């Protein structure tokens, strides 16, 4: 382990300090060294160690760090945070003391690292500002401020219907390959226009998928002020387990220094599965869907750390977009329901819409943003006010008219207008829109400016508007109308 990456094992958390103060000193003769009694699957069971504490650090042969997860009377359960292949039963183990810490600071910007802060991009070791504990308490209620500033995602349907504020936790949920990562990555790319630091945490994701995210960040010129934390599927289970906590600690540095961070956790289903695997290996009793009972608490205490701080506490913010995968659209499975109840809203992606080519495939009926509405820019709010209802009515009517038969003129017009709206809201991945472009598209819909165009021409107008608006003042509706008219002339 290099200097910058080594664990800072000398300090104690408040919890351990309290324990130390509350407990009598260990009697003389307590054994400082134990032995590995069982090892495998990233877990070690240790016997004979008497002075270890929960969440404390151990050192195993070869300098492999271990995190104590279980304290039993006659054994400890420890998670390996490195390669344990060379370790065997009977090997000695010692208490390192302190808790697990990871590097944080500006030196991490622009880097691809593992959850312990070890470089994965071939560059020199990052120079951190300090080492912070992976497990930290969420900000106290008195230190929290109101979520009052917008955090644009660049995805029009989200910014219009489910606006997200700085400090909010918004879940992205959907079946496999329904565009979850694309929405989260676009939200990071949209920060090219803000001062928010994007942090992407990949948990058990394919290397090619992570490479795509890094390329997108580089192409948007954002990589030098972003951090990518990767726990690969073949990394030690312990690294995948600590990944979201480590990334949260790295993001908190920006929140606590009065700045703003956006953390994407991709994804917590894989993290939950890893927690289940580790818990079963540690012989903890399984509960619903074989997950241990503490999974809710684990994710709640993680996501509670995402917050907007009060001006007195520096005014920084940490917005979090956790991603979770569903099976067959089942939102009531254990992990998705848990996360839905922990977060401040969810963007639900619909597999059927995605397959029919409607992208992003946001399910308008089941998505919600509970705290972001008040942060929505006024100009967008005015145009989006009736949009959700109108879109939902259109989807219902469209399904009805699909069966054929006669429809009255008013229904026909509603369906026609809805089809245009759907096209205006459609968006290719990797092209987050500016606020001006989003306002222009909603304005075009609101004032029926695409009437008379066939649907393919509407798509051309949409792309021309999005391309030409950048930089235009979003509140200058006259200027936006002129751009729309030009785009329309070109499309005809
Ligand atoms: N708006 C979009 N326009 C066009 N293609 C898209 C869009 N969003 C996603 N895709 C494509 O759909 C595929 C799946 O997208 P993505 O990886 O974001 O989904 P996911 O739900 O995160 O997948 P997984 O469950 O595998 O993590 C990718 O090939 C991506 O390029």
């Amino acid at each position: 382990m290099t200097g910058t990456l080594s664990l800072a094992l000398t300090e104690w958390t408040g919890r351990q300090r309290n324990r130390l103060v509350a407990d009598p000193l260990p009697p003389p003769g307590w054994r400082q060294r134990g032995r590995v009694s069982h090892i495998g699957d990233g877990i070690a069971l240790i016997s004979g160690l008497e002075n270890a504490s929960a969440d404390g650090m151990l050192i195993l042969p070869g300098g492999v760090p271990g995190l104590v997860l279980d304290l039993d009377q006659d054994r400890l359960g420890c998670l390996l945070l490195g390669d344990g292949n060379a370790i065997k039963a009977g090997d000695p183990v010692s208490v390192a003391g302190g808790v697990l810490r990871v590097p944080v600071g500006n030196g991490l910007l622009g880097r691809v690292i593992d959850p312990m802060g070890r470089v994965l991009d071939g560059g020199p070791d990052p120079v951190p500002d300090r080492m912070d504990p992976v497990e930290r308490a969420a900000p106290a209620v008195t230190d929290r401020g109101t979520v009052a500033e917008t955090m644009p995602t660049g995805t029009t349907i989200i910014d219009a219907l489910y606006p997200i504020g700085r400090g909010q936790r918004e879940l992205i949920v959907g079946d496999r390959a329904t565009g979850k990562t694309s929405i989260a990555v676009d939200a990071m790319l949209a920060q090219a226009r803000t001062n928010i630091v994007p942090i992407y945490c990949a948990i058990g994701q394919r290397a090619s998928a992570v490479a795509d995210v890094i390329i997108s960040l580089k192409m948007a010129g954002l990589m030098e002020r972003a951090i990518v934390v990767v726990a690969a599927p073949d990394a030690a289970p312990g690294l995948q387990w600590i990944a979201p906590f480590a990334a949260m600690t790295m993001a908190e540095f920006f929140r606590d220094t009065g700045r703003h961070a956006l953390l994407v956790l991709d994804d917590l289903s894989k993290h939950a599965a890893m927690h289940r695997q580790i818990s079963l290996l540690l012989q903890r009793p399984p509960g619903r869907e074989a997950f241990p009972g503490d999974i809710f608490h684990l994710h709640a205490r993680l996501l509670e750390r995402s917050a907007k701080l009060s001006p007195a506490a520096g005014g920084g913010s940490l917005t979090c977009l956790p991603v979770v995968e569903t099976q067959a659209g089942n939102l009531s499975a254990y992990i998705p329901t848990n996360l839905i109840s922990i977060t401040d809203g969810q963007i639900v992606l619909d597999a059927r819409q995605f397959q029919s080519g409607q992208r992003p495939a946001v399910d308008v009926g089941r998505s919600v943003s509970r705290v972001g509405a008040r942060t929505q820019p006024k100009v967008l709010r005015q145009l989006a006010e009736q949009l959700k209802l109108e879109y939902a009515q259109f989807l219902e009517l469209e399904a009805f008219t699909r069966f054929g038969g006669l429809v009255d003129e008013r229904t026909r017009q509603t369906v026609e207008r809805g089809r245009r709206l759907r096209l205006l809201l459609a968006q290719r991945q990797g092209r987050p829109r500016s606020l001006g472009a989003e306002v222009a598209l909603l304005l075009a819909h609101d004032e029926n400016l695409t009437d008379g165009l066939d649907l393919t021409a509407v798509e051309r107008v949409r792309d021309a508007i999005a391309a030409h608006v950048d930089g235009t003042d979003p509140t200058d509706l006259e200027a936006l109308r002129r751009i729309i008219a030009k785009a329309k002339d070109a499309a005809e």
Side-chain angles (χ1 to χ4, degrees):
M1 237 180 337
T2 62
T4 49
L5 305 172
S6 64
L7 304 167
L9 300 168
T10 47
E11 289 186 40
W12 295 80
T13 60
R15 189 142 65 99
Q16 281 174 316
R17 239 193 326 267
N18 292 343
R19 184 179 294 141
L20 210 63
V21 172
D23 292 348
L25 282 174
W30 261 36
R31 269 177 283 169
Q32 305 286 323
R33 284 168 85 80
R35 300 244 160 238
V36 175
S37 58
H38 170 86
I39 181 127
D41 302 306
I43 294 285
L45 300 181
I46 317 287
S47 56
L49 260 186
E50 290 173 339
N51 60 340
S53 55
D55 294 344
M57 294 304 296
L58 306 179
I59 292 288
L60 288 98
V64 175
L67 175 68
V68 178
L69 281 192
D70 264 6
L71 280 177
D72 271 352
Q73 224 164 12
D74 50 356
R75 68 159 173 87
L76 299 177
C78 146
L79 193 55
L80 302 182
L81 300 174
D83 182 4
N85 278 340
I87 303 173
K88 49 190 192 316
D91 281 352
V93 183
S94 53
V95 174
V99 293
L100 177 61
R101 287 167 183 265
V102 290
V104 302
N106 294 317
L108 267 51
L109 295 173
R111 306 308 303 270
V112 182
I113 50 180
D114 82 356
M116 300 281 282
R118 289 177 285 227
V119 285
L120 298 174
D121 55 11
D125 286 343
V127 182
D129 286 40
R130 53 174 200 254
M131 305 288 288
D132 274 352
V134 159
E135 278 273 5
R136 295 181 71 207
V141 176
T142 45
D143 287 336
R144 288 176 185 253
T146 314
V147 173
E149 301 147 276
T150 185
M151 208 273 332
T153 66
T155 298
T156 310
I157 190 162
I158 297 176
D159 290 339
L161 302 183
Y162 315 103
I164 297 173
R166 293 184 186 195
Q168 185 170 339
R169 297 152 304 170
E170 183 80 6
L171 186 68
I172 301 176
V173 50
D175 282 5
R176 221 183 69 74
T178 48
K180 302 183 296 297
T181 301
S182 302
I183 285 193
V185 171
D186 283 356
M188 292 199 293
L189 300 185
Q191 307 320 316
R193 301 182 183 99
T194 73
N195 59 355
I196 297 176
V197 175
I199 300 169
Y200 179 73
C201 174
I203 308 160
Q205 298 288 338
R206 280 174 294 112
S208 61
V210 178
D212 285 347
V213 175
I214 296 170
I215 291 168
S216 301
L217 288 167
K218 281 191 174 154
M219 280 170 53
L222 256 180
M223 190 58 214
E224 60 264 36
R225 63 177 183 91
I227 305 173
V228 177
V229 182
V230 183
D234 56 355
L239 285 182
Q240 296 186 56
W241 190 85
I242 65 159
F245 293 94
M248 187 63 83
T249 298
M250 292 169 191
E252 280 172 332
F253 172 80
F254 300 100
R255 181 199 71 190
D256 296 344
T257 48
R259 287 179 282 171
H260 306 277
L262 165 63
L263 173 63
V264 172
L265 298 173
D266 196 6
D267 65 54
L268 289 186
S269 330
K270 291 196 174 68
H271 184 252
M274 185 51 72
H275 183 63
R276 172 169 60 188
Q277 180 187 318
I278 288 168
S279 300
L280 291 174
L281 288 167
L282 289 172
Q283 294 162 12
R284 291 176 177 173
R288 192 174 152 191
E289 293 180 25
F291 286 103
D294 67 346
I295 185 76
F296 180 89
H297 178 239
L298 185 78
H299 284 160
R301 77 172 190 255
L302 167 72
L303 296 174
E304 271 301 299
R305 293 161 63 180
S306 153
K308 164 78 186 156
L309 297 186
S310 67
S317 73
L318 199 179
T319 312
C320 187
L321 297 179
V323 176
V324 67
E325 186 180 307
T326 48
Q327 312 289 332
N330 181 13
L331 293 185
S332 54
Y334 189 35
I335 301 302
T337 0
N338 277 353
L339 289 168
I340 284 172
S341 63
I342 294 167
T343 48
D344 308 304
Q346 70 274 353
I347 304 296
V348 181
L349 299 175
D350 180 67
R352 224 174 303 157
Q353 266 188 58
F354 189 85
Q355 278 143 21
S356 72
Q358 175 60 28
R359 296 168 190 187
V362 175
D363 184 327
V364 178
R366 296 199 290 174
S367 302
V368 66
S369 170
R370 281 187 277 273
V371 298
R374 61 175 166 255
T375 72
Q376 194 173 34
K378 195 170 157 212
V379 60
L380 201 56
R381 184 164 62 232
Q382 282 164 345
L383 288 165
E385 228 160 24
Q386 296 299 322
L387 216 57
K388 200 187 292 181
L389 186 64
E390 183 185 337
Y391 198 52
Q393 275 175 348
F394 148 66
L395 290 175
E396 216 166 278
L397 281 177
E398 192 191 38
F400 175 69
T401 54
R402 231 178 255 142
F403 297 116
L406 283 177
V407 287
D408 60 66
E409 182 56 19
R410 199 154 151 249
T411 308
R412 197 194 61 75
Q413 275 178 9
T414 311
V415 172
E416 185 60 23
R417 196 173 140 78
R419 287 197 175 130
R420 283 157 196 281
L421 174 61
R422 180 163 59 195
L423 281 180
L424 292 175
L425 293 177
Q427 194 168 344
R428 275 186 285 274
Q429 71 186 119
R431 299 188 193 179
R433 292 178 182 146
S434 64
L435 175 61
E438 292 179 338
V439 171
L441 290 172
L442 297 192
L443 189 68
H445 174 71
D446 193 56
E447 300 184 352
N448 298 318
L449 300 180
T450 61
D451 278 8
L453 294 178
D454 64 34
L455 294 182
T456 48
V458 173
E459 282 185 313
R460 287 201 298 277
V461 171
R462 173 195 68 204
D463 294 342
I465 292 173
H468 289 109
V469 162
D470 228 12
T472 312
D473 175 3
T475 60
D476 186 350
L477 299 190
E478 266 321 305
L480 295 179
R481 282 189 192 102
R482 282 196 296 277
I483 291 173
I484 297 166
K486 241 193 244 169
K488 203 175 155 189
D489 286 346
E492 272 172 340

